[in-house]
Amino acid sequence: MSVCDPEELRTLFLFEKLDDTQLSELCAAGRIEYVDPGPVFLEGQPATCFYVLIDGEVTLTKLSGGVEVETNRTDQRGVYAGAWTAYLGDKAEPNYNGSMYVLRRSRFLVLDAADFSRMMHAWFPMAVHLLEGAFFGGRRSSQRIAERERLVALGSLSAGLTHELNNPAAAAVRATAGLRERVAGMRHKLKMMAEGRFPTEALVHLVELQEQAAEQVAKAPDLSPLEAADREDALADWFTDEGIADGWNLAPTFVQAGLDVDWLEGVKATLQACHADVFEGAVRWLNYTIETELLLDEIVDSTGRISTLVGAAKQYSQMDRAPYQVVDLHELLDSTLVMLNRKLGDGVRVVKDYDRALPPVPCFAAELNQVWTNLIDNAVYAMNGAGTLTVRTYRENDCVAVEIGDTGPGIPEDSRSRIFEPFFTTKPVGEGTGLGLDISFRIVVNKHDGDIRVDSVPGDTRFTVRLPLQPAQQAPTGS
């Protein structure tokens, strides 16, 4: 430690406008310290001191994905670091928001945070008010617009989910109405059977054939349109030859169930002792049976789709789950893709390249879904609804990496350095607030000690999110 010289302080750009009295008070409150190479303060420690470099060399770092990343290296006299927001009071971050290391023996003016705050309020009251307004006002504005953007995104997702739910729900309603008609037809045919027009032995065989037809529906082969058309023509001709009216209307149902002329010949042989109209009634009875099975399959498929969508929505919102939990990132990504399915449309091809060997990750799951939503939404917008969206996961050292790629025109080079800044957007006025990537950055970096970066060339833009597998501590609840 050495004596503080007011005239030396006057040579620093930070203090060049102070008067003699202020410089003397600064020297009286502060102290001169020599620091050997090594850490001066570390990120996350209580911010107790304000440091001004008089001579030497320092480097500043920030944690990203559990790794220290250098943000600045300088030997400029007068640069400062440490508790420089102490004048904002209790509302400011109480801990150092980065680390500082000395690269060679350096000399500092060191002020306790309380003394620095007192001097700022006494010497520059108007400047403090302006800085408070800029700091807290900007933060409040950012929070409010961010909340609005979340609501807008939620509204868009809700509209998309409603649309997605409407399709299977409408299909289930249609299938149920059709099923009611078929069951009514079967009751009518059952009455005919009950009148004794079927010999007992033939009726037993017919019930067996009915079971075969129902089982065959589940095993029906997938036919090309041309194959299906050929089989329908063959069956329609057969029905005409057998004197069954509207055979062309019955044929598609039997073909859809995988039943052909040979199978119907077996039905005919079983009922050969019956009258012709009884045979036609049996064919229509079997048709009702097949249609009923097909409609039930449609209802099962539709309600299953509804259940899948509801499950995806629950996974996406993390409803009824702890805010901080250990989860499979692939479940989060899949639920987000389901929620954004309508926005993806038919023009976007989705390629999933998942490393299924990745272990679960401790995280705020609902907030990570917001990150995936922002990145995928931006990718689809960049491709103008047509291109390839790639979602890739892999392990990188002690981190899990999630890569969202698109085949859009790319991000201009002069925009890449600002892409995560609040309110910065490359979208036209009215189409973006510039907070989606800022929110994503804060969720990944501030809440998960992770890292998010972008690499972009025309036709290949990739946002990569890295999340530590073993965070040092549970992420903070603030953003």
Side-chain angles (χ1 to χ4, degrees), residues 140-162:
R140 281 193 296 270
S141 296
S142 177
Q143 288 173 341
R144 288 179 181 176
I145 295 177
E147 289 170 0
R148 181 182 181 279
E149 179 146 308
R150 289 189 182 102
L151 288 174
V152 170
L154 181 61
S156 176
L157 288 172
S158 298
L161 180 61
T162 301

Side-chain angles (χ1 to χ4, degrees), residues 126-322:
M126 182 176 177
V128 168
H129 285 306
L130 291 172
L131 289 169
E132 286 178 341
F135 185 83
F136 296 119
R139 187 164 68 179
R140 281 193 296 270
S141 296
S142 177
Q143 288 173 341
R144 288 179 181 176
I145 295 177
E147 289 170 0
R148 181 182 181 279
E149 179 146 308
R150 289 189 182 102
L151 288 174
V152 170
L154 181 61
S156 176
L157 288 172
S158 298
L161 180 61
T162 301
H163 177 81
E164 291 291 332
L165 286 170
N166 182 66
N167 289 336
V173 170
R174 288 193 302 270
T176 302
L179 182 62
R180 186 185 299 276
E181 294 177 3
R182 272 59 177 185
V183 171
M186 291 181 74
R187 287 199 302 267
H188 174 73
K189 296 301 178 186
L190 186 61
K191 178 183 176 182
M192 183 181 71
M193 293 179 181
E195 291 174 347
R197 299 172 67 182
F198 278 79
T200 303
E201 185 178 349
L203 186 57
V204 171
H205 286 303
L206 182 59
V207 172
E208 292 175 353
L209 290 169
Q210 183 186 31
E211 292 297 326
Q212 291 178 21
E215 292 175 2
Q216 184 61 35
V217 170
K219 300 182 293 185
D222 291 328
L223 301 175
S224 68
L226 184 60
E227 290 174 328
D230 289 342
R231 292 195 181 191
E232 288 173 14
D233 289 342
L235 271 178
D237 292 341
W238 187 85
F239 285 133
T240 300
D241 294 341
E242 296 297 327
I244 297 176
D246 297 332
W248 58 269
N249 200 23
L250 300 175
T253 302
F254 283 89
V255 170
Q256 193 172 352
L259 303 176
D260 54 18
V261 171
D262 290 340
W263 190 84
L264 284 168
E265 287 286 356
V267 174
K268 180 181 177 181
T270 300
L271 303 175
Q272 59 184 350
C274 300
H275 192 271
D277 63 340
V278 173
F279 172 61
E280 181 175 348
V283 170
R284 295 192 184 279
W285 165 267
L286 291 172
N287 181 69
Y288 285 137
T289 298
I290 296 167
E291 286 186 324
T292 299
E293 289 296 318
L294 292 173
L295 288 169
L296 285 172
D297 285 347
E298 186 174 348
I299 292 172
V300 169
D301 181 70
S302 300
T303 53
R305 174 65 176 159
I306 292 172
S307 178
T308 299
L309 287 167
V310 172
K314 188 173 181 180
Q315 175 67 259
Y316 179 85
S317 64
Q318 293 297 299
M319 189 187 305
D320 302 329
R321 301 190 183 193

Side-chain angles (χ1 to χ4, degrees), residues 1-5 8 31-40 51-56 58 102 104-110:
M1 189 175 297
S2 62
V3 177
C4 178
D5 180 3
E8 183 178 37
R31 58 188 182 274
I32 303 298
E33 289 187 5
Y34 284 91
V35 180
D36 291 323
V40 180
Y51 294 85
V52 180
L53 181 66
I54 298 176
D55 55 60
V58 299
V102 165
R104 54 185 169 86
R105 184 173 172 81
S106 303
R107 188 160 56 104
F108 295 90
L109 170 68
V110 183

Side-chain angles (χ1 to χ4, degrees), residues 331-398:
E331 293 182 0
L332 303 185
L333 291 165
D334 285 341
S335 67
T336 303
L337 288 169
V338 170
M339 294 294 290
L340 292 174
N341 184 61
R342 185 186 180 198
K343 185 166 287 189
L344 294 174
D346 297 330
V348 176
R349 174 173 169 260
V350 179
V351 175
K352 298 179 185 179
D353 183 9
Y354 291 168
D355 180 359
R356 294 292 184 179
L358 289 178
V361 177
C363 63
F364 292 93
E367 299 200 24
L368 278 185
N369 279 339
Q370 192 174 359
V371 174
W372 314 141
T373 300
N374 290 334
L375 296 181
I376 293 172
D377 184 64
N378 284 347
V380 174
Y381 180 89
M383 293 186 290
N384 197 25
T388 300
L389 173 74
T390 303
V391 183
R392 179 182 174 223
T393 63
Y394 57 95
R395 183 164 184 164
E396 188 176 271
N397 300 321
D398 293 329

